[in-house]
Amino acid sequence: AAPKVQVCFVNAFQRSTTFPTLKTAASSCGVLPTISRPKQLRLFENGGRFMAMKGASPPSADVEGAAKTNPEGGSRTHFISNMIQRDVDSGKHSSVVTRFPPEPNGYLHIGHAKSICLNFGVARDFAGVTNMRFDDTNPVKEDQEYVDSILEDVRWLVAGDTSGTDPWNGNVRHASDYFDVFYAAAEHLIKKGKAYVESLSADEMKEYRGSLKTPGKESPYRNRSVEENLEMFRKMKAGDYEEGECCLRAKIDMASPNLNMRDPALYRIRKATHVMTGDKWCIYPMYDFAHCISDALEEITHSLCTLEFEDHRPLYDWVLDELEDSDLITCHPRQTEFSRLNLQYTVLSKRKLIQLVEGKHVNGWSDPRMPTISGIRRRGYTPAALKLFCERIGISKADNNIDMSVLEDCARTTLEDEAVRAFAVLNPIKVTITNWPEDKVEMFEADVHPKRDMGKREIPFSGSVYIDADDFSENPPKGFFRLTPGGSVRLKFAYVITCDEVIKDASGKV
C-alpha cells in the first residue's frame, strides 16, 4: 500500500504570490521515480499549492514581541502569565481557573485558536483548569450545528484528538444554566435602585445616549419607582410586552465618557425558542450582564478577553460590585485584555464569513478556503502547527497583522519530522526504456524520510516511467543539468538513462 503522506494546502484567499516548494506530495500505489528539484509555483486567489515539507525561515513579519521563552518549559511567558505568576506567588489565588466562552453563532476561526491556546495553555502551565462555556444568550442566532463544531474544534486543537477525553474541566457549561441567577441579579439591582425598565424605542435610546463628544440625556422613564420597575420587569418575564416595547437598563451615568456606562441594557425581550431552555424564557440577558456573572458563578480567576472588551471592563466590574451585597456570587474575577489575531489578506469576521456561507460562495464553513479551524484542518494543518503559530506570534496588547508565511512556516516545522516523503509527477512525460525486458519489473528501496528512521518503501521500475515536463528540454539553457536529447541523467533511486529519441504528437507536444 502507498505510504500516508501529510499534504498541506496553503494560502487560499490570499493575493497572488510566488513561493518556493519541493516536488514532494502524495502518491498513489505504483508511482514511479522522477527527477526531483525545487520549483516555483504561482498561487492565485482561487487556488492552492502543495506545502513544502522543508523550507527556509519565512520573511520577517511584524509579530508581537512581548512573549519570551519559558526556561522551565510550557508556554512562552508574557504579561498575562507574569500576572498570574504574581497572583499565585502572593497567595491571591491557590489555583487557576480560566474559561473559553464562544457564542454558538458560527464556526470557530483561526483568531479563536489564539484564545483557546492562551486559556488552556496558562491553566495547564499553572496546574489549573479551563471551563468550556457557551454564551447562549441570543436564541435567534444560535444553532446546535455550531455547538457541535466548536466542541470538535476545541478537542482537536487542545487534545489533538476528537474522540478522546475532553480537555476542559468537567461538563460543558452554558450561560443558559444560570438564567435563574441572572434574573435574580436583575431584580436585586432594581430593588437597589440601580436598574429600571426603559420604554423608549431603540432609535430614541440611541438619540438619548449622546456621542463621544456630547453627554447623553436621562430617559424620562429613568426615575420610575422600584415597585413600578419590578412590576414591569415581571410582566416582561411573563410575556406581556412585545419585542422592542421595553427593556431593562442599568442606572449608572448618562454623562460618562465611556459610552458603555451610559445606562447600558441588561435584558431584552426575545420571543424565540432557545436550544437549551425551549420556551421557558422570553427575556434574555445581554452579553455584558451575563458574562461577568457567569465568570463569578464558576469562580473564574482570570477572565481573558480580546482588546475590544477593554472599554467594557468598567461595566464588568460595576455589575459584580453591585452584586457583592447579594448572596448570588462569592467572588470577583479579574478581566484582562490582549490583542486579537489578525492575518494579512484574511477575513476573520463571523458576520462576513457567514455571508460567504449563506451566499454559497464557499462549500460551507469547513471549506478549505475558509479561515475557520475546521477549514484549516482540512487543508492539512495539524494541531501542533496551530499551537506553534500561536506561540510564535505571542501575547501582548499591541495591534498586529501577521503575515501568512508565519503560519506556513509553522506547518513546515511541525511536518518536517513527522511527514513521510513520496513522489508525484504533476506534469508527466512518458519515458520508454528501449533496452529493458518487456515484462520485467524491478523493485527499488527508498527511505520514507530523508533524516529519520521511519522505514522503507518499495518503488517499482519497469520499461515505462514518467518524468516531469520541466525536467526535460530539447533546447536547454546554460546550466540545465536534467534530461536533454542525447544527454544522460540518473533517476533517483534507479538507473542512468540516455535520451535517444523524442516523439511528439500532431500539435508538436512531447
Side-chain angles (χ1 to χ4, degrees), residues 224-504:
R224 279 173 166 152
S225 67
V226 170
E227 292 74 20
E228 185 179 5
N229 281 317
L230 276 175
E231 181 183 359
M232 294 185 68
F233 186 55
R234 289 166 181 170
K235 285 184 177 180
M236 285 174 58
K237 180 187 177 185
D240 293 348
Y241 298 111
E242 297 302 317
E243 291 189 21
E245 189 173 350
C246 56
C247 67
L248 183 70
R249 298 179 70 178
K251 187 185 291 188
I252 306 178
D253 182 7
M254 289 302 293
S256 172
N258 185 340
L259 268 64
N260 296 295
M261 299 298 283
R262 295 183 184 179
D263 290 8
L266 303 180
Y267 259 93
R268 79 285 207 196
I269 300 172
R270 285 284 187 274
K271 294 188 176 180
T273 300
H274 192 281
V275 173
M276 300 297 294
T277 62
D279 297 320
K280 178 181 178 180
W281 296 89
C282 62
I283 56 172
Y284 292 93
M286 303 299 290
Y287 173 83
D288 283 334
F289 185 59
H291 175 64
C292 56
I293 299 176
S294 298
D295 283 351
L297 292 173
E298 295 176 10
E299 298 185 341
I300 302 300
T301 57
H302 299 87
S303 180
L304 308 179
C305 307
T306 46
L307 276 176
E308 60 262 37
F309 293 101
E310 186 174 27
D311 291 339
H312 296 247
R313 193 193 328 146
L315 178 56
Y316 183 102
D317 291 331
W318 182 89
V319 172
L320 296 183
D321 287 342
E322 294 297 336
L323 294 178
E324 282 185 355
D325 58 351
S326 72
D327 59 356
L328 300 174
I329 62 173
T330 58
C331 73
H332 188 137
R334 177 179 180 178
Q335 177 176 305
T336 305
E337 304 83 21
F338 60 95
S339 61
R340 62 182 298 166
L341 169 62
N342 296 302
L343 274 178
Q344 289 185 358
Y345 315 120
T346 305
V347 175
L348 294 180
S349 165
K350 267 189 188 178
R351 179 174 55 84
K352 294 179 180 178
L353 292 177
I354 200 170
Q355 291 177 12
L356 294 175
V357 176
E358 293 178 346
K360 306 296 183 182
H361 302 291
V362 294
N363 297 322
W365 288 90
S366 296
D367 190 303
R369 296 169 293 177
M370 292 282 278
T372 55
I373 292 179
S374 58
I376 291 171
R377 178 182 172 188
R378 285 189 63 196
R379 285 192 228 172
Y381 282 90
T382 62
L386 286 186
K387 290 178 183 178
L388 178 60
F389 174 66
C390 293
E391 181 178 339
R392 284 187 178 179
I393 64 177
I395 301 295
S396 78
K397 286 181 175 287
D399 288 334
N400 61 83
N401 195 13
I402 308 301
D403 193 282
M404 183 68 77
S405 62
V406 179
L407 175 60
E408 294 174 0
D409 190 65
C410 292
R412 293 186 182 95
T413 300
T414 55
L415 293 178
E416 166 65 23
D417 291 335
E418 64 184 46
V420 300
R421 308 306 203 260
F423 290 98
V425 180
L426 303 182
N427 186 16
I429 292 179
K430 185 177 181 180
V431 176
T432 301
I433 313 298
T434 56
N435 61 345
W436 188 266
E438 183 177 352
D439 296 326
K440 181 180 179 181
V441 176
E442 186 172 348
M443 305 302 293
F444 293 97
E445 276 197 345
D447 293 327
V448 297
H449 195 284
K451 297 180 181 179
R452 295 167 60 89
D453 184 11
M454 298 176 65
K456 304 282 186 179
R457 65 187 179 95
E458 287 192 331
I459 304 174
F461 186 87
S462 66
S464 295
V465 298
Y466 291 87
I467 66 172
D468 197 278
D470 289 345
D471 291 327
F472 173 78
S473 176
E474 288 187 277
N475 301 295
K478 185 178 180 180
F480 188 85
F481 298 109
R482 283 154 283 166
L483 190 61
T484 61
S488 299
V489 295
R490 177 182 291 278
L491 297 177
K492 194 168 187 178
F493 305 124
Y495 299 108
V496 174
I497 63 173
T498 301
C499 179
D500 297 323
E501 183 183 4
V502 179
I503 301 175
K504 300 181 181 179

